[in-house]
Amino acid sequence: MGEDIYLFMIIALAILAITDLVVGVSNDAVNFLNSAIGSKAISFKTIMIVASIGIAFGAISSSGMMEVARKGIFNPSEFVFAEIMIIFMAVMITDILLLDFFNTLGMPTSTTVSIVFELLGAAVAISLLKISNNDGGLNDLTNYINTDKATEIILGILLSVVVAFTIGAIVQYASRLFISFKFNERPKWVGALFGGFAITSIIYFIIVKGLKSAAVFSPHVLAFIANNPELFLLANFILWSAFSWVVSSFFKINIYTLIIVFGTFALAMAFAGNDLVNFIGVPLAALEWYNAWSGSGIDAAAFTMDSGAVQTPTMLLLASGVVMVVTLWFSSKAKNVVKTSVDLSRQDEGDERFQPNFLSRQIVKFSIQASEHLGGLLPDALVSKIDSRFEKPYVYVPKSRIQDLPAFDLVRASVNLMVASVLISIATSMKLPLSTTYVTFMVAMGTSLADRAWGPESAVYRVAGVLNVIGGWFFTAFSAFVAAAIIAYIIHLGGIWAIGILLVIAFLLITRNYLSHNRRMKETKIEEKLKKSESNSIIGLIEESSSNISMAIERANKIYTQTIDGLSKHDIDKLKKSKKGISKLNSEVEDLSGNIFYFIKNLDESSVGASNFYITALSYLQDMTQSLEYISKASYKHVNNNHKKLRFNQIKDLKETDLFIDELFSELKSIFDTKSYDQLTKIIMNKEVLIATIDQKINKQIERTRADESSPKNTALYFSLLLETKDLLKATMNLLETYERPANIKS
């Protein structure tokens, strides 16, 4: 390889570093934003400003020592410059692809773990090539790779998950017993003591984690803190407790809000000051060693590396901070990752993103049994007293605004930040390789459990979500190792051509993910969903739900047409779309049914009839979606299994059926759009004619079957489609009758 290839690699690494900054911030935003956003303690704009200042301050005050170059994952002195550059290229290409993949899914993962296992994977691949060329054995791998460090990091992953979850749960439980959900009604000294603990933890975290190697404090001050941590913590606790009491008593400032502001700033600053290495450390190490090699006059295949640290120019740190802040403000993927964490820790019911699985069901079942046994050991009076501390004050909120409520209260948000700060500070001082992402996420999950946010209605979904995220973390380590090793081997074989092709593929994949994500976001914004009703009278419900019925009928019509069209043409893609469409519609109708409890709770005594109307209308809407679901799934299964196409006469009959269903549903949409309920009577009177039309087609197929039909699968499918279409029509007519009677009373 000539010198030009290494210059090309340095330029490519610089571009990859900027890209990695963007995708890395999108992932790690969950570390410092979830508590403030979830509690809605301050406005979103204020949260972003506080986090931006923290990131900027953390980047500028960073030590500038890119730790990754001397982490000890592999021994640089055992590799020549040409091999090191292959390792670094493989690491950066893998990193942006892996982080972008997780961001697109909206799943938080660890940038530290990804970069470490990428370094490990690429280094192992190159080491094995060197060992093979030297006729060595696997035992020689220890000369190139620091296996002790790799083992320590893997144990650190497990430690992060278990310790953070457990400590978060314990501290939240104790805090809730001490403060309760009615924290605003507690004496000022309670908030002052809590504020003293929390702010002291965060200040210690800022010094130990955020500013441990910055030139903000004199060495004497840092040495005093290191040698007298107990005295420093006690003095801070007294100072900040007094401060908390003064600001809450005289200035009427909510101390919990102040804690959240402090904590968000601290975590954002520590993220920028320490995790910056995960994004630009490798390219900077490559640049440092490129400068050393290019001036040496030695061939790249003979120039030996050393394990020295890499000093980062201050202006480069500042530029990195700017990129991180801009990404934080404009990245929709960052908001998506934060949403996953917030939704899983939501105190009340909400849209559940994850589906329960066998493991989540068993964990919840075991936990409920253990809780019941434990509760039986405690006196009833004590259990009652504990339960009273977890009673949430009831506040009436219109159902349409339930999603606008905070996901959890200020106390839980404060505990999240306090516990995360303490754990990361302790780990840093003990030089334990804990992941910031793992700690902050698992603390949030532990506090959710302790706060009884995972009730019987939501536990299986939340536990499934946590298991998915944790599984993703281990997948990060495995996939980072394997992918980096494969890419390093490809670069070793293909040289500059391989690098060029890999870079093109990487950026094409990132661009495709970006465009796909943007398209989904736009579709989500413009896509209309069935809305929950709030009226407490029948007439009000008719008026309010007209748009829902109109929308449901329009979508049902589209799904039915798409299914018949896809079946007639054996078009699997159309049938996939119809299956996806009915699944979504069915889910929305189920959400409306799940809202019945809140709907009835908010009715006044004179409006019980409205609940009967609402329940009846929903049941018929469910009948419609279930018929459509069967039609869609049966058609998809038939084509997907490559069964014979339907015969011409069967397709002709189905097309005719689709035509009159389309005319009927289009007319119904118009009636509900214009609220012309008096026209429903005419359609209902035509009910028997519509049903008879289906019966005629069933009878025709019976005759065809007796005469010349030769395909049992086709016959079974055709009868099923017509019978379900008949049920669809009956459910539709029942729904219309539900709306017709009270509408006539109104008129």
Side-chain angles (χ1 to χ4, degrees):
M1 293 184 183
E3 186 170 340
D4 289 345
I5 187 175
Y6 298 111
L7 180 61
F8 170 75
M9 290 170 81
I10 290 296
I11 294 169
L13 284 169
I15 296 169
L16 289 171
I18 296 170
T19 309
D20 208 29
L21 272 173
V22 173
V23 295
V25 172
S26 297
N27 176 81
D28 279 8
V30 69
N31 297 351
F32 49 88
L33 290 182
N34 62 343
S35 292
I37 289 176
S39 65
K40 299 193 175 179
I42 48 180
S43 69
F44 182 75
K45 186 177 180 181
T46 306
I47 292 169
M48 297 297 281
I49 291 171
V50 169
S52 299
I53 294 171
I55 287 175
F57 191 81
I60 296 169
S61 62
S62 171
S63 67
M65 306 302 287
M66 293 293 101
E67 297 285 340
V68 75
R70 53 188 177 92
K71 275 282 186 182
I73 300 301
F74 63 93
N75 301 318
S77 57
E78 295 294 325
F79 297 88
V80 295
F81 177 68
E83 294 163 342
I84 287 285
M85 291 300 289
I86 291 174
I87 291 172
F88 285 170
M89 280 301 303
V91 165
M92 292 304 292
I93 291 172
T94 306
D95 201 53
I96 60 169
L97 287 174
L98 192 63
L99 292 181
D100 187 66
F101 170 72
F102 274 93
N103 293 344
T104 303
L105 292 179
M107 301 278 275
T109 192
S110 170
T111 52
T112 304
V113 169
S114 63
I115 202 80
V116 165
F117 276 88
E118 285 151 7
L119 281 166
L120 187 60
V124 165
I126 299 302
S127 300
L128 290 175
L129 287 170
K130 289 171 70 72
I131 291 169
S132 176
N133 291 337
N134 296 330
D135 296 324
L138 282 178
N139 292 336
D140 296 332
L141 195 61
T142 54
N143 297 330
Y144 302 96
I145 307 297
N146 189 337
T147 52
D148 291 339
K149 189 68 175 180
T151 304
E152 184 185 0
I153 289 169
I154 293 169
L155 291 175
I157 297 174
L158 296 171
L159 195 64
S160 300
V161 172
V162 177
V163 172
F165 184 85
T166 306
I167 300 298
I170 292 170
V171 174
Q172 178 61 34
Y173 192 79
S175 299
R176 193 60 77 189
L177 288 177
F178 180 58
I179 299 171
S180 83
F181 275 97
K182 301 173 183 176
F183 55 91
N184 287 324
E185 299 174 11
R186 302 287 286 160
K188 298 295 183 193
W189 64 267
V190 172
L193 286 178
F194 185 83
F197 273 114
I199 298 176
T200 298
S201 304
I202 292 166
I203 292 295
Y204 186 66
F205 168 75
I206 289 174
I207 293 171
V208 173
K209 180 70 174 173
L211 302 175
K212 60 179 179 179
S213 51
V216 176
F217 297 104
S218 70
H220 300 294
V221 172
L222 293 174
F224 174 80
I225 294 171
N227 295 327
N228 304 279
E230 296 86 358
L231 182 60
F232 174 79
L233 291 172
L234 178 62
N236 266 269
F237 172 68
I238 295 170
L239 171 67
W240 292 113
S241 294
F243 170 80
S244 301
W245 185 80
V246 169
V247 297
S248 60
S249 299
F250 296 101
F251 297 97
K252 307 302 178 187
I253 296 173
N254 190 320
I255 190 61
Y256 302 102
T257 302
L258 204 60
I259 292 167
I260 292 165
V261 172
F262 266 126
T264 301
F265 171 82
L267 284 173
M269 186 191 71
F271 155 71
N274 293 271
D275 288 0
L276 194 60
V277 60
N278 300 334
F279 314 130
I280 64 172
V282 166
L284 286 174
L287 177 62
E288 188 84 5
W289 285 338
Y290 173 79
N291 291 334
W293 165 76
S294 61
S296 68
I298 303 173
D299 185 73
F303 186 77
T304 306
M305 298 290 94
D306 61 48
S307 57
V310 182
Q311 183 71 35
T312 311
T314 304
M315 290 305 295
L316 191 53
L317 288 172
L318 179 60
S320 300
V322 170
V323 172
M324 294 164 91
V325 170
V326 171
T327 302
L328 185 66
W329 278 88
F330 294 102
S331 172
S332 59
K333 288 187 178 181
K335 298 178 181 67
N336 201 24
V337 175
V338 172
K339 186 177 184 299
T340 299
S341 177
V342 171
D343 284 349
L344 287 174
S345 54
R346 183 178 295 280
Q347 186 70 37
D348 299 306
E349 308 303 319
D351 294 332
E352 301 295 351
R353 176 178 167 184
F354 297 92
Q355 292 303 310
N357 51 48
F358 173 79
L359 190 55
S360 73
R361 291 189 183 99
Q362 294 306 308
I363 290 172
V364 171
K365 183 180 178 181
F366 173 78
S367 300
I368 290 172
Q369 291 173 347
S371 177
E372 288 173 351
H373 289 310
L374 183 62
L377 299 175
L378 300 175
D380 291 342
L382 179 58
V383 172
S384 179
K385 183 70 174 174
I386 291 172
D387 288 343
S388 69
R389 311 300 287 178
F390 286 87
E391 287 178 2
K392 297 184 289 295
Y394 177 76
V395 179
Y396 171 74
V397 178
K399 290 178 285 298
S400 60
R401 293 194 56 228
I402 286 176
Q403 288 298 322
D404 297 331
L405 290 174
F408 39 81
D409 69 359
L410 302 180
V411 173
R412 176 130 67 93
S414 301
V415 171
N416 285 345
L417 293 164
M418 173 176 66
V419 174
S421 298
V422 169
L423 291 178
I424 296 169
S425 300
I426 292 171
T428 301
S429 61
M430 295 175 65
K431 295 183 169 51
L432 291 174
L434 288 182
S435 161
T436 307
T437 303
Y438 294 177
V439 170
T440 52
F441 180 83
M442 290 311 297
V443 165
M445 296 304 104
T447 58
S448 304
L449 177 66
D451 227 11
R452 303 186 180 180
W454 298 356
E457 305 293 332
S458 60
V460 287
Y461 303 100
R462 307 287 176 86
V463 173
V466 174
L467 292 175
N468 271 284
V469 173
I470 293 174
W473 293 345
F474 288 98
F475 175 75
T476 299
F478 174 77
S479 55
F481 180 91
V482 173
I486 292 171
I487 290 176
Y489 183 66
I490 291 171
I491 293 173
H492 169 77
L493 293 178
I496 192 167
W497 289 104
I499 294 171
I501 292 169
L502 286 169
L503 286 172
V504 169
I505 292 172
F507 282 106
L508 282 175
L509 286 172
I510 289 175
T511 303
R512 191 195 69 173
N513 286 345
Y514 173 78
L515 294 174
S516 175
H517 176 76
N518 275 3
R519 187 174 64 252
R520 283 199 304 272
M521 293 296 289
K522 287 176 183 175
E523 286 173 358
T524 302
K525 286 178 182 176
I526 64 173
E527 191 177 64
E528 290 188 288
K529 289 179 68 176
L530 303 184
K531 297 177 178 63
K532 295 170 183 175
S533 297
E534 293 184 24
S535 294
N536 54 14
S537 70
I538 295 178
I539 301 305
L541 278 174
I542 290 175
E543 295 286 333
E544 194 177 85
S545 60
S546 288
S547 59
N548 265 358
I549 300 301
S550 170
M551 194 189 308
I553 287 173
E554 181 185 24
R555 288 164 65 179
N557 191 12
K558 179 182 176 183
I559 290 163
Y560 190 87
T561 299
Q562 205 170 42
T563 302
I564 299 303
D565 197 37
L567 183 61
S568 64
K569 296 176 181 176
H570 252 229
D571 187 338
I572 195 71
D573 290 330
K574 273 195 176 179
L575 292 171
K576 273 183 185 175
K577 285 180 182 176
S578 70
K579 198 156 77 83
K580 185 177 177 182
I582 187 56
S583 176
K584 190 171 186 312
L585 180 58
N586 204 18
S587 174
E588 290 174 30
V589 174
E590 283 182 7
D591 285 344
L592 293 183
S593 299
N595 190 58
I596 285 175
F597 170 81
Y598 302 101
F599 173 78
I600 295 174
K601 288 282 280 186
N602 288 331
L603 286 175
D604 54 43
E605 291 295 330
S606 62
S607 306
V608 178
S611 63
N612 291 329
F613 169 83
Y614 188 64
I615 293 167
T616 304
L618 273 181
S619 70
Y620 291 137
L621 199 55
Q622 279 184 307
D623 290 343
M624 290 174 63
T625 58
Q626 284 167 6
S627 292
L628 276 170
E629 187 173 35
Y630 181 87
I631 291 168
S632 176
K633 285 184 175 178
S635 302
Y636 175 81
K637 182 181 177 183
H638 184 86
V639 175
N640 197 38
N641 288 342
N642 296 305
H643 295 315
K644 287 171 65 176
K645 288 186 178 182
L646 295 181
R647 299 179 66 174
F648 175 78
N649 286 333
Q650 292 172 324
I651 292 173
K652 178 173 172 289
D653 285 351
L654 287 175
K655 287 284 190 181
E656 288 173 358
T657 304
D658 177 41
L659 189 61
F660 85 74
I661 292 283
D662 178 61
E663 290 173 356
L664 172 65
F665 280 14
S666 297
E667 186 177 357
L668 290 177
K669 179 182 178 342
S670 176
I671 289 172
F672 280 97
D673 280 343
T674 58
K675 299 180 174 61
S676 307
Y677 305 114
D678 55 322
Q679 296 180 30
L680 290 176
T681 306
K682 181 183 68 174
I683 294 175
I684 293 169
M685 288 177 66
N686 199 37
K687 172 182 176 180
E688 297 304 325
V689 176
L690 295 173
I691 300 296
T693 305
I694 302 292
D695 286 335
Q696 287 172 8
K697 296 188 183 301
I698 292 173
N699 290 331
K700 281 171 66 177
Q701 178 60 28
I702 291 173
E703 291 172 8
R704 284 196 293 260
T705 303
R706 290 176 63 83
D708 61 351
E709 183 62 71
S710 60
S711 172
K713 294 288 185 187
N714 280 11
T715 302
L717 175 67
Y718 184 78
F719 279 132
S720 296
L721 295 182
L722 288 181
L723 289 170
E724 285 299 332
T725 301
K726 191 174 173 180
D727 288 345
L728 173 64
L729 283 173
K730 287 179 179 178
T732 304
M733 292 302 163
N734 289 337
L735 179 66
L736 300 185
E737 287 172 2
T738 305
Y739 274 81
E740 180 208 21
R741 287 190 292 269
N744 285 341
I745 293 170
K746 174 191 174 187
S747 59

